[in-house]
Amino acid sequence: MTETTDSLFLFKTIYRQTPVSTQIFTTDGETVMVNKAWEKLWNVKFEQLGSYNILQDQQLVATGTMEYIKRGFKGEQVDLPVIRYDPSQTVAIKGARERWLAARIYPIKNNKGKITHLVLQHEDVTDKKNNEDTLYRLAAIIESSYDAIISKNLEGIITSWNKGAERLFGYTAGEIIGKHITTIIPKELRKEEAEIISKIKRGIPIKHYETVRVKKDGNYVEVSLSISPIKNNDGVIMGASKIARDISYQKKAEAAIRESEERLRLALDAGQIGVWDWDIEKNTLTWTDNVYKIHGVNRKNFEITFENFKNLIHPDDVNRVLKLIEKSLLKEAEFAVDFRIITPKGDLKWVTTQAEISHNKNGKPVRMLGATSDTTRQKQIEQEKSDFISMASHELKTPITGMKMFVELLSRELAKTSLEKPIHFANRIMEQTDKLTELTNDLLDVTRIETGKLQLKKEAFNISHLIQETLDTLQPTTTHTLHFKNSKIVGVAADRYRIYQVLVNLITNAIKYSPQGNKVEISLRTTASEAIIGIKDDGIGIAKNKQDKIFERLYQVTDPKLKTYPGLGLGLYITKEIVERHNGKLWLKSEHGKGSTFYFSLSLNKN
Ligand code: ADP
């Protein structure tokens, strides 16, 4: 072998084996030589090229490569920018993937200096490009992160610093990269860094470590740190990446919650209010100290179970409480109740408790959260008030009866004379005495109701007749026309005097609360089992949201202090009690400003 053949063989081999795809073609576009890398890149063998002419390759035209080829023919050597090629468009090869390629073109001249061939070399940079893209994307994420993301080497020198870190610590990347990490660690916490580095060196990540760092302006900031070791391709730990999150706001919020809880606890303590929490699903009850105190039991030896709680309730109240719990769990009632308890020591106490019930999305009750307080003292005061009313009204009754008797005697004596003025005065005294009698009677009735001593003396009578009688008594006292048209006999068995009292109350209210009106209509109708009496006025009416309340003791719609309408707010309370004691109902239809009709029902007396 000659030296030339030898080196030719050598060059050919190198050409075949070089990892850069290389294609040599003539000025006519005919490919004369390709290497292994070319065959691999385009997924085609040289023998398969057939009549392929590179100057006709549309993909090379489309990507602009043809422009460079032309420049190559003019003798230039050109490096192409990285271009995306779709090889299936070039040589119609199945299975070829899109590639990112860097290309170089250079001419080959013969010994006369004429260009005979061109060389087109391609380097596949797809992986590099993808890596670059990923890195670019990662860098963008890191830059845009609100958290501070920092990296440092094992000596603690800061090597990267994102926008979040600039925002959090106040240093720009330019100012701090190359400085030691202790720049942002408060002096008193410097030893933390040694611990962190020692962990990182052992490859141990640190998660959500709450600490304090110092900002450029010297202020401290509370942060949560997550630190992970950074390894190189060989798995050797090179440094650490650190994510710092500003938790000052969170810390402040936590402190605010703690503070408000504390305030609530103080308020509950001051009001001696106990809070209990019943997890219905797990059936567990928790009590605060006050609940134990109120029930006179000890946290140490009292186990809070529903059963044990039930045993503390006064036997006369237990059913009422249990029923209300049942009803409120079914959303049929609000849970607010007063009841008595008997402590293990035997003390009787009144408690009041209110609760909210939470339901899950299927409507099942899951939790009951309540507040309890000891109302024994209030109940005592109420009782004392009631006792006072009872005593006062009893004590008043005797002198009033005496007054009435003597004023009647006086009137009778005066009637024999012609002393007009004294006769008139005596009549006024009589009227006022009657009012006083009514008031004391009301007070006595309230006492009777509250002590369960309101006795009914039932008898059979014609209600129609009683209504007429009531109207005959009331008509002379008012300018309103009291209208009733019903002569049917409607028999009821009731306490005649008490029903009379009901009629008087409702009719006098109708008159009193229709100052502009001129009539009150009384109606009577019967159903199969009941007589229903209606009292209708054209008066001031009652707003819907007040309609339940007017039956409460001492309740008045208009501010009692204004004294717009005289009264004590007892009439309807007594009326309702009387009607209900007869197993009847009392209800109303009314609209604010449009008059009211009160109804009550009584069972018919079939005999
Ligand atoms: P009072 O002594 O104040 O009349 P009641 O118990 O009889 O007490 O009535 C309670 C409240 O109900 C009254 O203060 C009044 O505000 C309202 N009320 C009762 N009857 C009527 C009515 N017919 N029209 C409008 N409001 C009424």
Side-chain angles (χ1 to χ4, degrees), residues 135-323:
L135 277 177
Y136 183 77
R137 242 175 278 135
L138 274 178
I141 291 171
I142 289 173
E143 258 326 280
S144 64
S145 161
Y146 201 82
D147 290 334
I149 302 177
I150 304 165
S151 60
K152 62 178 182 198
N153 63 21
L154 288 179
E155 281 75 56
I157 302 296
I158 295 168
T159 49
S160 78
W161 186 263
N162 75 340
K163 278 266 165 359
E166 287 187 1
R167 204 167 21 230
L168 181 55
F169 298 110
Y171 294 98
T172 65
E175 282 172 325
I176 199 142
I177 289 178
K179 295 243 171 73
H180 200 265
I181 191 73
T182 45
T183 318
I184 59 165
I185 302 179
K187 277 200 185 68
E188 60 277 19
L189 293 177
R190 294 266 157 95
K191 64 173 188 318
E192 254 182 24
E193 180 59 12
E195 283 162 27
I196 291 172
I197 291 284
S198 117
K199 275 197 174 164
I200 290 301
K201 279 186 178 157
R202 284 177 283 148
I204 304 168
I206 295 160
K207 280 187 190 141
H208 310 299
Y209 173 67
E210 289 186 7
T211 181
V212 176
R213 289 294 176 256
V214 61
K215 301 202 272 188
K216 188 181 176 182
D217 62 13
N219 284 325
Y220 282 16
V221 56
E222 284 167 291
V223 292
S224 158
L225 297 182
S226 291
I227 308 172
S228 324
I230 300 175
K231 296 177 185 170
N232 69 6
N233 281 342
D234 304 323
V236 178
I237 294 165
M238 308 293 291
S241 74
K242 184 184 274 198
I243 300 181
R245 171 163 295 182
D246 183 353
I247 53 168
S248 326
Y249 178 76
Q250 186 189 328
K251 287 274 156 187
K252 262 186 215 142
E254 280 170 11
I257 290 171
R258 263 200 308 277
E259 209 174 286
S260 98
E261 271 176 357
E262 179 64 8
R263 226 178 289 137
L264 179 64
R265 200 183 59 74
L266 285 174
L268 290 175
D269 270 358
Q272 302 202 339
I273 295 166
V275 176
W276 50 268
D277 193 351
W278 178 27
D279 183 327
I280 299 171
E281 285 186 317
K282 290 192 201 125
N283 195 21
T284 52
L285 253 172
T286 34
W287 283 7
T288 60
D289 288 346
N290 276 336
V291 187
Y292 285 93
K293 217 190 275 172
I294 292 167
H295 290 85
V297 291
N298 206 311
R299 202 184 263 282
K300 279 186 220 113
N301 48 30
F302 183 82
E303 193 198 349
I304 25 169
T305 60
F306 194 75
E307 204 53 36
N308 284 347
F309 162 66
K310 213 172 76 183
N311 289 337
L312 292 172
I313 307 177
H314 192 288
D316 291 349
D317 292 350
V318 87
N319 280 337
R320 186 165 56 89
V321 175
L322 296 187
K323 272 228 176 74

Side-chain angles (χ1 to χ4, degrees), residues 442 505-506 508-514 535 537 539-542 546 549-558 565-575 588 590 595-598:
D442 276 357
N505 270 342
L506 295 176
T508 49
N509 271 355
I511 297 167
K512 182 160 72 171
Y513 296 106
S514 61
I535 293 99
D537 65 58
I540 58 171
I542 302 159
K546 305 274 164 63
K549 297 220 166 77
I550 55 170
F551 300 106
E552 287 170 13
R553 196 180 75 161
L554 298 174
Y555 184 83
Q556 297 185 298
V557 175
T558 47
Y565 300 98
L568 288 177
L570 293 175
L572 286 180
Y573 172 71
I574 298 169
T575 301
L588 75 152
S590 179
S596 319
T597 309
F598 281 79

Side-chain angles (χ1 to χ4, degrees), residues 126-142:
T126 313
D127 289 346
K128 214 163 112 192
K129 177 101 177 111
N130 284 348
N131 280 346
E132 258 172 30
D133 282 357
T134 314
L135 277 177
Y136 183 77
R137 242 175 278 135
L138 274 178
I141 291 171
I142 289 173

